[in-house]
Amino acid sequence: MPRVVIGLSGGVDSSVAAALLKEQGYDVVGLFMINWHDTTGVLEGDCPWHDDRTFAELVARRLDIPLHVVDLSEQYRKRVVEYMFAEYGRGRTPNPDVLCNREIKFDVFLQEALKLGADYVATGHYCRKAECEAPDGSPVYRLLAGSDSNKDQSYFLCQLSQEQLRRALFPVGGLLKPEVRRIAEEHRLATAKRKDSQGICFVGRVDLPQFLQQRLAARAGAVHEIAPSWRGYAARCEPEVRRISVEGGGALPPLDDAAVALLSDAELAAWAAPWRYTVRDGRKIGTHNGAHFYTVGQRRGLGIGGRRESLFVLATDVEANVVYVGEGDAHPGLYRTALFLRDGLHWINPLRRLGVGQSARFAVRIRYRQPLQQALLVVREAGIYLLFDEPQRSIAAGQFAAWYDGEELVGSGVIEG
């Protein structure tokens, strides 16, 4: 019988996944990963892995499957945490969970599983896998959203390769979360009522500035407020083919291939550029302890009160150590209708890959749990442009944009700005 090595995390989802695999007749082996030891910045009550291991052992004992433990903390530090520090140091907002899946769970973990004789690896992710055939008859693996729209985790797997998908099984991807809890209760698993984990993958919930100060020093700087009437908002208009400006309001007419063909690379680049400010564009209203501790769209942690509406971070300049903010969630500096992707461009389904000069409409997600947004994806020599039908809020450089066609996650890339 095929052997499946499952990542038993100590949570209910992976526990039920293991139970289902055993019921289906697989030779199931549990593997628990230790990926982080340091508790610096971890909020009180969040243990990085000790409690998780205890629950994983209880589940393995209940299901009568062997459980192995492997320490991957050095690889996790090099491949995920160092990346986090580097990105925040550049004033960007990384997504460590996407990197954790690509670099650890379906790479380093996979290699450890193969040492145990695995034919497949399994996780408790809420997503699904399907298979189709390439013109040459070879199999192509498709990544599909989980059946539970409230728990769908396909976004976190948006960088997986065909080889990684070939080996992957997602036993709970077709279930709703209440069903998973029910199955855990029926099997009398210790994790049946355990709360879902939150925060950074394998680290937990953290005080981000304190966590980042392990590598990024605090540095006093100024907070400048940008008024909604800033001249840059009025100056930037959508390309003429849209026939509407950013501040015009209302629904924007969708672009089609013919309209996009009229746009030059320079026009697309200017349209997708992030808002950029100087200290002369606003007024100083406060101070902060380091621009690299803040991200676009952030509302808490500014320490500036006395406003009718909340202040939001519009942009950061880590070189000048300035944080730019605006008042109210309708501030135009929070919204853009286009973005650019250059790094990490990845087509999960190679049959759907577009060439330079081509475009197609997709539903796009620019952060986890964001409702899908309609957009036109345009491939040019410099990279990929995403042109949204409606303005998008808090586009943050360093995050991943993932594009879907129906329930299939087709590809992804890192937001440049």
Side-chain angles (χ1 to χ4, degrees), residues 345-417:
L345 300 180
H346 177 59
W347 294 85
I348 294 177
N349 184 343
L351 301 181
R352 303 297 304 276
R353 183 189 302 274
L354 299 181
V356 174
Q358 294 184 305
S359 60
R361 295 193 65 80
F362 290 101
V364 177
R365 179 169 285 137
I366 59 173
R367 67 182 68 86
Y368 178 53
R369 298 187 72 84
Q370 180 205 28
L372 290 169
Q373 307 292 310
Q374 297 301 312
L376 184 71
L377 183 148
V378 181
V379 182
R380 293 289 172 91
E381 197 69 47
I384 287 176
Y385 294 91
L386 288 172
L387 315 178
F388 293 94
D389 291 356
E390 297 185 1
Q392 298 301 300
R393 176 174 165 170
S394 304
I395 295 175
Q399 288 283 294
F400 285 84
W403 47 94
Y404 293 73
D405 182 4
E407 61 184 3
E408 180 182 7
L409 200 167
V410 178
S412 66
V414 180
I415 298 172
E416 181 66 21

Side-chain angles (χ1 to χ4, degrees), residues 265-298:
D265 288 356
E267 286 178 305
L268 283 171
W271 186 8
W275 300 118
R276 300 191 187 281
Y277 312 98
T278 71
V279 293
R280 295 185 298 276
D281 295 321
R283 63 187 183 94
K284 181 180 177 180
I285 61 169
T287 60
H288 61 79
N289 290 322
H292 41 260
F293 298 145
Y294 296 86
T295 186
V296 172
Q298 181 174 335

Side-chain angles (χ1 to χ4, degrees), residues 75-133:
Q75 295 94 322
Y76 183 77
R77 180 186 64 80
K78 289 179 179 178
R79 296 197 187 192
V80 179
V81 178
E82 292 297 330
Y83 164 83
M84 277 183 59
F85 287 135
E87 286 287 89
Y88 275 111
R90 296 171 58 196
R92 293 159 61 90
T93 306
N95 191 311
D97 294 290
V98 173
L99 266 292
C100 180
N101 284 306
R102 187 184 74 186
E103 302 292 328
I104 304 298
K105 292 180 181 176
F106 293 91
D107 189 339
V108 180
F109 176 86
L110 173 59
Q111 299 308 313
E112 293 294 328
L114 292 176
K115 294 177 185 177
L116 297 173
D119 296 295
Y120 300 98
V121 294
T123 67
H125 283 102
Y126 285 84
C127 61
R128 294 170 295 146
K129 184 178 79 170
E131 186 176 327
C132 61
E133 193 173 278

Side-chain angles (χ1 to χ4, degrees), residues 201-395:
C201 181
F202 291 120
V203 176
R205 295 172 60 242
V206 300
D207 179 317
L208 188 60
Q210 185 181 351
F211 180 80
L212 293 176
Q213 282 181 50
Q214 297 175 75
R215 292 285 299 277
L216 303 176
R219 188 160 61 102
V223 176
H224 282 250
E225 182 178 5
I226 304 296
S229 58
W230 178 62
R231 63 186 184 281
Y233 301 136
R236 180 189 293 185
C237 292
E238 308 289 345
E240 264 187 50
V241 294
R242 293 296 287 268
R243 301 184 305 280
I244 189 167
S245 68
V246 170
E247 63 175 11
L252 304 178
L255 282 167
D256 55 25
D257 291 344
V260 168
L262 301 175
L263 299 176
S264 68
D265 288 356
E267 286 178 305
L268 283 171
W271 186 8
W275 300 118
R276 300 191 187 281
Y277 312 98
T278 71
V279 293
R280 295 185 298 276
D281 295 321
R283 63 187 183 94
K284 181 180 177 180
I285 61 169
T287 60
H288 61 79
N289 290 322
H292 41 260
F293 298 145
Y294 296 86
T295 186
V296 172
Q298 181 174 335
R299 178 169 62 90
R300 293 184 174 86
L302 289 167
I304 301 172
R307 298 302 187 100
R308 293 182 62 182
E309 297 186 76
S310 298
L311 289 172
F312 293 84
V313 175
L314 305 180
T316 61
D317 182 341
V318 294
E319 294 297 325
N321 198 29
V322 178
V323 173
Y324 296 98
V325 301
E327 184 175 354
D329 58 9
H331 194 288
L334 286 172
Y335 295 88
R336 289 161 50 198
T337 55
L339 58 82
F340 176 58
L341 311 170
R342 180 176 60 188
D343 299 327
L345 300 180
H346 177 59
W347 294 85
I348 294 177
N349 184 343
L351 301 181
R352 303 297 304 276
R353 183 189 302 274
L354 299 181
V356 174
Q358 294 184 305
S359 60
R361 295 193 65 80
F362 290 101
V364 177
R365 179 169 285 137
I366 59 173
R367 67 182 68 86
Y368 178 53
R369 298 187 72 84
Q370 180 205 28
L372 290 169
Q373 307 292 310
Q374 297 301 312
L376 184 71
L377 183 148
V378 181
V379 182
R380 293 289 172 91
E381 197 69 47
I384 287 176
Y385 294 91
L386 288 172
L387 315 178
F388 293 94
D389 291 356
E390 297 185 1
Q392 298 301 300
R393 176 174 165 170
S394 304
I395 295 175

